Amino acid sequence: MSTPPRTQASRSEATRNALIAAARRLFVDRGYAATGTPELVAEAAVTRGALYHHFVDKSELLMAVAADMAFEVAAAVAASAPPGVPPQQALLAGSHAYFAAMAEGGRARVLLLDAPAVLSPAQLALLSEAAGADELRNGLQACLRAGRSVPLDELGGLLSAAFDRAARALAEGEDPTRWTGAMDLLVGAVTKDLAG
C-alpha cells in the first residue's frame, strides 16, 4: 500500500516545524546571538529561502520557539494540581511545576535571557500570557475572600516577575531550596492576605 503524496500545505508545515525544531536546538545550545541563519538552515536541512518564506527574520523564529516553550510551561502548571485542592495548595503546586518546567529543555535560557533581549514588550506580554499568566490570576482570584477587591492583574504581574527572577536564578545554578522556599513564603503570604 503506497502512501498518498504529500500536499504543498503538509510540506510547508513540515518545513516550518523543521525550522522551529532546529532553532530550538541551536538557541538552547548556543544562545540566540551566537546562532546564525546559515547554521539554522543547515540544521533544519532547508534552504535560506525556505527560512524567509516562513519567518520574516530570526527574531520571528525566536518568537515561535519561545511560544512553544511558554505553552509547555503553562501545560505543566495547569496539570500540577488535581481538581478540588484548596486554591493556596494549587498555587504552591503550580509554583513548583513552573520551576520544574523552566529548568528543562533550555526554557529558562530562551524565555528569560534571549527573549527579553530580542523581542518587543508586546511580544513578551504574549509569552507571559501563554506561559500561564491567566492560570496565576485565576488562582489568585480563587483565594480572594468574597467581596474583597484587589488589583489582581497587577498582583499577578508582580508575582510573575518574581517567579521569573527565581527561575532565572535556578537556571544560573543557584540553590533551588532557597529560591523555592522564598517563593513558597511569598505565595503563602499573598494568598493568606487575599483570603483575610
Side-chain angles (χ1 to χ4, degrees):
M1 176 186 272
S2 65
T3 58
R6 290 176 59 188
T7 65
Q8 178 61 31
S10 68
R11 284 191 300 274
S12 181
E13 182 179 353
T15 299
R16 180 180 167 78
N17 290 340
L19 283 162
I20 292 171
R24 183 176 183 144
R25 287 189 297 273
L26 291 172
F27 294 163
V28 167
D29 289 345
R30 300 180 186 178
Y32 175 85
T35 301
T37 54
E39 292 91 358
L40 282 168
V41 296
E43 180 77 11
V46 301
T47 66
R48 192 176 181 96
L51 169 65
Y52 291 113
H53 173 76
H54 290 282
F55 300 97
V56 171
D57 57 19
K58 191 173 79 164
S59 70
E60 190 174 271
L61 183 53
L62 173 64
M63 181 64 183
V65 170
D68 282 352
M69 290 180 164
F71 284 120
E72 293 163 4
V73 170
V77 170
S80 66
V85 299
Q88 182 178 1
Q89 286 180 333
L91 279 169
L92 289 171
S95 171
H96 295 181
Y98 173 80
F99 292 133
M102 289 297 281
E104 295 175 359
R107 292 182 187 124
R109 178 180 192 156
V110 171
L111 291 171
L112 302 177
L113 298 176
D114 288 340
V118 175
L119 301 177
S120 72
Q123 289 172 309
L124 293 173
L126 289 173
L127 289 176
S128 179
E129 289 299 318
D134 267 350
E135 194 79 23
L136 178 57
R137 274 192 303 273
N138 292 341
L140 294 171
Q141 178 70 48
C143 292
L144 189 59
R145 179 176 44 86
R148 183 149 184 225
S149 177
V150 297
L152 282 178
D153 287 342
E154 293 78 3
L155 181 58
L158 289 170
L159 277 176
S160 181
F163 280 119
D164 288 351
R165 173 62 184 97
R168 188 172 177 172
L170 298 179
E172 292 169 350
E174 294 188 32
D175 182 358
T177 306
R178 294 179 61 82
W179 282 97
T180 56
M183 285 305 300
D184 284 353
L185 287 172
L186 180 58
V187 169
V190 167
T191 55
K192 181 178 179 182
D193 184 69
L194 290 176

